[in-house]
Amino acid sequence: MNIEKLLVESYIDELISAALYDYLKTLTKEDSLKNVFSKLAQIEKSHAALLEKILISRRVSRPRPGFVYKIRLTLYKILARTLGYKILLSLMEASEASAIKTYWMLLKESPSELEKQALENLLRDEISHEISLQESLSLYVKTLQGLKDIVYGMIDALIEIEAGVIGIASATNSPSLAGLAGLIAGFAGSFSMASGAYLSTKSEKEQQNKLVELDKIKWELGSALAESGSYSIEMKEGDNYSPWKAARNAGVFYLIGAIGPIIPFLMNLTIPLAILTSLFLSTIIITALTFVTSTLSGSSFRKSWIEYLLITYSAVTVTYLIGRVASQVFGIVV
């Protein structure tokens, strides 16, 4: 484990957190929230200063935030501006959880008592922040999960359609036919995803409604006991997420994810150019979507990005080869 590298990364993360809390102040009109975010920003800045002292004590020069820092900060702000400040709070929660693990590892490897004391203080603050943010986001969890599901659906659609159109293009040697087939498959997949989401959400909603009815019966039967203080009852509310809304989101975003790979083929470019352009567009889209999923889940962007690209390019390679073999075996000529 490279301790100095972890310390540098933690220092940069604390600076980003401080900048994001400062940015949150500009997104809310409530004075109470402004004060909270201002206080949190100052705490994160103090953490960065403390980590800087640790780095100096280890004779590591203070890292200067570079291009990657600016890109991350800009993307986070765009997410907050377009999806609301709560999305930024979810980033903070994921960041705090990651920081707790990192500082715990650093604490166990720390060579001096002073450094251990400093890291213990950081840990206490991070745990306190993480608990507070979890409480703040408790009502926002389902929204975030829904957003992650949408993004994952878009990635699935992109990989599926990308592999399909390239396979068809290699078999038929016709970019326009491949584009049309991809478009048809995209719409078919969109309706399939919408139907699945509708039926799944409807079934889940019906089950939840049954549980709510059961809770009402328990509440009515136990009200007398509850009044006497010998029975504790907690009424639960049903989920208001509409099956039609779930179907709309699944269908629309699946189609959006499928459109990117198809466009170059619909433009009737040459097969090699259409394939390269399609892969280029898919890579850009995957990069953006991976940033969202890694941000919301707190996972490694680089690892997830490499995995998605490997899956995409592997699927494309296999379908391309299948298309070439099918073209030769069946003598397909278009």
Side-chain angles (χ1 to χ4, degrees):
M1 180 170 58
N2 191 327
I3 302 297
E4 281 73 22
K5 183 180 179 182
L6 279 177
L7 286 168
V8 168
E9 291 175 352
S10 298
Y11 172 76
I12 297 296
D13 286 342
E14 294 290 354
L15 289 181
I16 290 176
S17 295
L20 290 177
Y21 280 126
D22 277 332
Y23 184 68
L24 280 173
K25 291 189 297 185
T26 68
L27 298 183
T28 180
K29 297 179 180 179
E30 298 181 31
D31 291 335
S32 59
L33 282 177
K34 285 181 183 291
N35 292 332
V36 169
F37 293 145
S38 179
K39 181 180 178 181
L40 289 172
Q42 291 302 318
I43 291 174
E44 299 294 358
K45 289 174 185 176
S46 69
H47 289 177
L50 197 152
L51 287 169
E52 183 180 351
K53 290 181 180 179
I54 294 176
L55 286 169
I56 292 173
S57 69
R58 287 174 171 263
R59 298 183 179 179
V60 178
S61 58
R62 181 176 70 87
R64 295 182 179 180
F67 179 73
V68 174
Y69 165 84
K70 294 178 181 178
I71 290 294
R72 285 177 62 189
L73 197 56
T74 300
L75 289 175
Y76 290 154
K77 289 181 178 181
I78 290 173
L79 276 178
R81 180 64 68 180
T82 55
L83 300 177
Y85 78 89
K86 286 184 178 179
I87 193 72
L88 204 49
L89 282 180
S90 74
L91 299 182
M92 298 293 96
E93 197 276 334
S95 176
E96 303 293 352
S98 177
I100 289 171
K101 295 178 182 178
T102 300
Y103 291 143
W104 178 247
M105 286 189 296
L106 291 172
L107 178 61
K108 291 190 292 185
E109 298 291 333
S110 180
S112 70
E113 288 301 319
L114 287 176
E115 189 171 304
K116 285 183 178 180
Q117 185 62 48
L119 290 170
E120 284 179 2
N121 292 334
L122 285 178
L123 265 173
R124 292 192 189 94
D125 281 347
E126 296 297 346
I127 291 172
S128 175
H129 294 174
E130 208 263 345
I131 292 173
S132 298
L133 288 170
Q134 280 186 339
E135 292 174 352
S136 301
L137 291 168
S138 60
L139 298 177
Y140 195 53
V141 171
K142 283 195 174 182
T143 301
L144 293 177
Q145 184 59 49
L147 179 58
K148 282 192 285 187
D149 291 342
I150 286 171
V151 175
Y152 283 130
M154 292 176 69
I155 293 176
D156 290 342
L158 185 148
I159 295 173
E160 181 180 334
I161 300 300
E162 177 73 86
V165 293
I166 289 180
I168 294 171
S170 67
T172 63
N173 203 34
S174 173
S176 58
L177 181 60
L180 180 60
L183 192 61
I184 293 172
F187 275 104
S190 175
F191 282 113
S192 175
M193 290 292 289
S195 299
Y198 173 82
L199 294 174
S200 175
T201 306
K202 183 181 179 182
S203 175
E204 184 179 347
K205 190 175 181 66
E206 288 174 350
Q207 182 64 26
Q208 288 179 342
N209 287 340
K210 290 179 181 178
L211 293 176
V212 170
E213 289 298 321
L214 185 60
D215 285 338
K216 288 181 179 178
I217 293 173
K218 290 179 179 178
W219 186 87
E220 291 178 4
L221 290 174
S223 58
L225 292 174
E227 289 177 1
S228 66
S230 59
Y231 190 70
S232 177
I233 297 176
E234 181 181 354
M235 286 293 294
K236 297 179 182 178
E237 295 182 1
D239 187 359
N240 293 322
Y241 191 53
S242 165
W244 289 108
K245 185 176 180 180
R248 180 198 66 193
N249 288 343
V252 169
F253 284 98
Y254 181 95
L255 189 58
I256 291 174
I259 288 296
I262 300 172
I263 293 174
F265 293 94
L266 292 177
M267 294 171 63
N268 204 27
L269 303 175
T270 62
I271 292 293
L273 183 58
I275 291 176
L276 289 175
T277 305
S278 181
L279 288 173
F280 176 73
L281 290 175
S282 295
T283 300
I284 293 176
I285 296 171
I286 286 174
T287 301
L289 295 178
T290 304
F291 172 78
V292 175
T293 57
S294 63
T295 295
L296 295 179
S297 63
S299 59
S300 168
F301 166 78
R302 182 179 178 182
K303 182 179 179 181
S304 299
W305 181 70
I306 291 174
E307 286 178 349
Y308 283 133
L309 288 185
L310 283 175
I311 292 170
T312 302
Y313 284 98
S314 297
V316 165
T317 301
V318 171
T319 54
Y320 178 83
L321 293 175
I322 291 174
R324 296 307 302 162
V325 171
S327 177
Q328 296 298 320
V329 172
F330 298 106
I332 300 173
V333 178
V334 178

